[in-house]
Amino acid sequence: MSPYDDDLPVPVTGWGRTAPSAALLVRPRTFDDAAAAVRRCGARGAIARGLGRAYGDAAQNAGGAVLDMTGLDRIRTIDAEAGVVVCDAGVSLHRLMEVLLPLGWFVPVTPGTRHVTVGGAIGADIHGKNHHVSGSFSRHVLALELLTADGELRTVLPGTELFDATAGGMGLTGIVLSATVRLHRVETSLMSVDTERAADLDDLMARLTGSDDRYRYSVAWIDLLARGAATGRSVLTRGDHAPLDALPRRARRRPLGFRPLRLPPAPSLVPEGLLGRASVTVFNELWYRRAPRRRTGELQSIPAFFHPLDGVPHWNRIYGRSGFVQYQFVVGHGQEEALRAIVGRIARQGCPSFLAVLKRFGEGDPGWLSFPMPGWTLALDLPAGLPGLGVFLDELDDVVAGAGGRVYLAKDSRLRPELLAAMYPGLDRFRALRARLDPRGVFVSDLSRRLSL
């Protein structure tokens, strides 16, 4: 039976819940199913989709096919001595943690949610709190199996053009079917965490620059409504995997236990405007004040440190029916003035973002459309219904592009296509390889159409 047989067009949207489009949702269960779906995808093409955590339109395909890859979810082999796993692309990072942590291994890179698939992690070349140490996810991929537009299953290795186009290529070079991933050794499933306040943006950047090399993981929550002398005030959280001897005696009995807390889901109907300027101002003030001025060595669980929002299923509903825009950019070292200007403009605009984080990136990876570059990255969420939001973000895009920075495609839903080449110097190489590899345009998405990728 074809994976198309029982499917009808359905609305598909990103995690931000903006701009849904209707597509034929296909659920392959085998590699052969995926190949058959690609052969039958029609003139509007196909795009792969994981767990739907891309914020914008990267995993949508209006009028075409969207391949839900979560049915390809086998962990094929684990080398517990070398720390290498081979798994299908539909396996989630959550599942890998469940299986690998008891063996003393952790995923090499995780974003702010563990509910992403390995295929999605490669397609977006995800980064985490440890980019300054470990780089992006693709740096730890030893090989991948890619289904290309001609129906061929190719083994793709690092250092090749196809690998560099696929890592961060947003699923447009083909469908990742499986991957071989190098892991990180850990002694426990707890984190040793240091927390401190930073009085303003300059104070925060100085702390990150001066001591980030002592930590594997580092991130700062930033109050983007604070103004004046407090502009950019932050709570800086840094840490590493706790060694066994740091655990209390009782916790040493099961040092590698993994038990994520799960709270009730966010309600399906949330009043518009709940996260307005007044409510977010109060939240930000309380969050900053309750944070310790300095605390060291606190033990936290992996979910609490890496994925606090995963404990609330469907947390994206809190923005109401209109959804939200996640805006993330990076500017290089030496462009701190551009970062200061953007933070100041956001504060003066009064944009109500309570999920705003600043990180420092290390060396970039070779993916032609990979987002990270050495410098500073700021991510913030904004209700999509804010008056004048589109024009305001267009202005920020101009500042970012003028500083030689870029916007993260995995979170984008509204970037102007004329800025893309300035932000991604590898764009022409990517387009040329795509034209050779997929001349009929089999792999296509709402994102690729909007930006002419």
Side-chain angles (χ1 to χ4, degrees), residues 309-365:
L309 287 174
D310 281 350
V312 183
H314 306 296
W315 63 263
N316 56 340
R317 294 174 180 169
I318 65 176
Y319 292 88
R321 291 186 183 275
S322 60
F324 70 103
V325 173
Q326 175 88 184
Y327 184 70
Q328 183 170 5
F329 68 90
V330 59
V331 293
H333 294 303
Q335 295 294 333
E336 286 77 12
E337 197 54 45
L339 177 61
R340 293 186 187 97
I342 290 173
V343 170
R345 291 176 75 161
I346 294 170
R348 290 191 298 274
Q349 188 80 4
C351 295
S353 175
F354 79 101
L355 293 175
V357 296
L358 182 77
K359 296 193 290 281
R360 194 167 67 93
F361 280 159
E363 290 301 314
D365 291 283

Side-chain angles (χ1 to χ4, degrees), residues 5-259:
D5 288 346
D6 298 322
D7 289 291
L8 296 172
V10 296
V12 180
T13 187
W15 191 246
R17 304 175 73 203
T18 60
S21 60
L24 193 64
L25 193 62
V26 187
R27 297 178 174 87
R29 300 296 178 186
T30 66
F31 291 1
D32 287 343
D33 282 352
V38 169
R39 286 195 299 270
R40 295 188 56 191
C41 65
R44 295 289 288 182
I47 195 71
R49 180 181 179 90
L51 287 164
R53 293 305 176 105
Y55 287 84
D57 53 4
Q60 300 173 211
N61 182 21
V66 171
L67 275 64
D68 178 346
M69 300 298 292
T70 56
L72 278 74
D73 59 356
R74 288 177 295 174
I75 297 177
R76 295 174 174 268
T77 63
I78 300 171
D79 185 334
E81 293 297 320
V84 173
V85 63
V86 181
C87 63
D88 288 354
V91 173
S92 70
L93 299 193
H94 173 85
R95 179 60 180 154
L96 287 181
M97 292 177 198
E98 285 184 321
V99 172
L100 296 171
L101 272 168
L103 302 177
W105 295 101
F106 190 62
V107 295
V109 172
T110 177
T113 175
R114 61 187 180 275
H115 298 302
V116 297
T117 62
V118 169
I122 295 168
D125 200 15
I126 60 170
H127 57 272
K129 297 177 175 69
N130 60 338
H131 190 275
H132 63 293
V133 173
S134 302
S136 303
F137 192 87
S138 65
R139 187 179 299 185
H140 308 273
V141 175
L142 304 178
L144 60 89
E145 299 293 321
L146 186 72
L147 177 66
T148 50
D150 55 8
E152 184 177 343
L153 182 60
R154 305 179 187 225
T155 299
V156 184
L157 301 177
T160 64
E161 282 195 333
L162 187 51
F163 188 95
D164 292 346
T166 300
M170 307 309 299
L172 297 172
T173 61
I175 297 178
V176 177
L177 295 178
S178 70
T180 303
V181 182
R182 183 176 55 240
L183 306 168
H184 176 66
R185 170 74 80 178
V186 296
E187 294 183 12
T188 76
S189 60
L190 292 176
M191 306 296 297
S192 178
V193 181
D194 294 352
T195 305
E196 58 191 292
R197 289 190 211 166
D200 56 36
L201 182 59
D202 285 341
D203 183 25
L204 173 62
M205 289 192 290
R207 292 171 190 254
L208 287 167
T209 301
S211 55
D212 242 15
D213 58 348
R214 304 205 313 259
Y215 297 91
R216 176 171 291 274
Y217 302 100
S218 179
V219 67
W221 169 87
I222 183 168
D223 182 358
L224 291 177
L225 287 174
R227 300 178 62 178
T231 299
R233 67 178 181 176
S234 309
V235 178
L236 177 56
T237 307
R238 297 183 286 189
D240 207 336
H241 299 276
L244 185 62
D245 59 13
L247 271 57
R249 188 174 301 243
R250 174 176 289 185
R252 295 182 196 179
R253 298 174 187 170
R254 292 192 62 201
L256 292 165
F258 181 62
R259 296 174 295 276

Side-chain angles (χ1 to χ4, degrees), residues 268-345:
S268 56
L269 294 176
V270 177
E272 294 291 330
L274 178 65
L275 294 179
R277 188 179 307 175
S279 60
V280 174
T281 297
V282 172
F283 172 87
N284 286 2
E285 182 69 28
L286 292 173
W287 190 262
Y288 182 78
R289 294 298 174 188
R290 72 181 289 274
R293 293 186 182 276
R294 181 165 179 80
R295 180 175 60 204
T296 61
E298 180 191 15
L299 293 178
Q300 294 183 10
S301 68
I302 280 173
F305 182 75
F306 289 106
H307 317 117
L309 287 174
D310 281 350
V312 183
H314 306 296
W315 63 263
N316 56 340
R317 294 174 180 169
I318 65 176
Y319 292 88
R321 291 186 183 275
S322 60
F324 70 103
V325 173
Q326 175 88 184
Y327 184 70
Q328 183 170 5
F329 68 90
V330 59
V331 293
H333 294 303
Q335 295 294 333
E336 286 77 12
E337 197 54 45
L339 177 61
R340 293 186 187 97
I342 290 173
V343 170
R345 291 176 75 161

